[in-house]
Amino acid sequence: MIADNIILVVVAVGIVYLAVQLVYDAAYDAILLWTQHTIPHLLSEMMFALIIMELFRQVWRQINKEAFSLNPFLYIGFIASIRGLLLTQMAISMDDIEWSQGTIQISVHAGILLLLVICHLLYNKNYQKN
């Protein structure tokens, strides 16, 4: 039991460190290394930091012995899908990928996002009944 808590705390500290490092690197890139492709890179890093912080929230829930919830994982899926949508749209607008390939990628991300929203609604509807 104590070993579990020690491991969870170490993981939580590591997750926070990674998120801070990502934000620091993004800020460093924005200030000192501004290039044409920096905006998609910055967006990707910031959204990835959000994903990492959602993982931290789940670890924190376990440290505090709270009930398990799928919501943090659904939120991670939301962020990842929106990240994919935004990055694909930017890649299309910069002619980094073909329009047809980008449209397929956008459709996949939008489909996943729609599925996650449906899962979130169903999960929370059933969770609130109990």
Side-chain angles (χ1 to χ4, degrees), residues 59-71:
V59 171
W60 190 253
R61 288 175 61 93
Q62 287 197 329
I63 290 171
N64 291 324
K65 307 292 186 230
E66 294 179 29
F68 178 79
S69 174
L70 285 179
N71 284 328

Side-chain angles (χ1 to χ4, degrees), residues 5-22 48-49 52-53 55-57 59-60 63:
N5 286 340
I6 291 171
I7 291 170
L8 287 172
V9 168
V10 169
V11 169
V13 169
I15 287 172
V16 170
Y17 170 78
L18 288 174
V20 169
Q21 186 66 44
L22 276 170
F48 191 58
I52 289 173
M53 290 312 297
L55 287 173
F56 169 77
R57 284 190 183 110
V59 171
W60 190 253
I63 290 171

Side-chain angles (χ1 to χ4, degrees), residues 23-35 38 42:
V23 171
Y24 172 80
D25 289 346
Y28 180 82
D29 289 348
I31 294 169
L32 298 177
L33 304 173
W34 192 257
T35 64
T38 300
L42 290 173

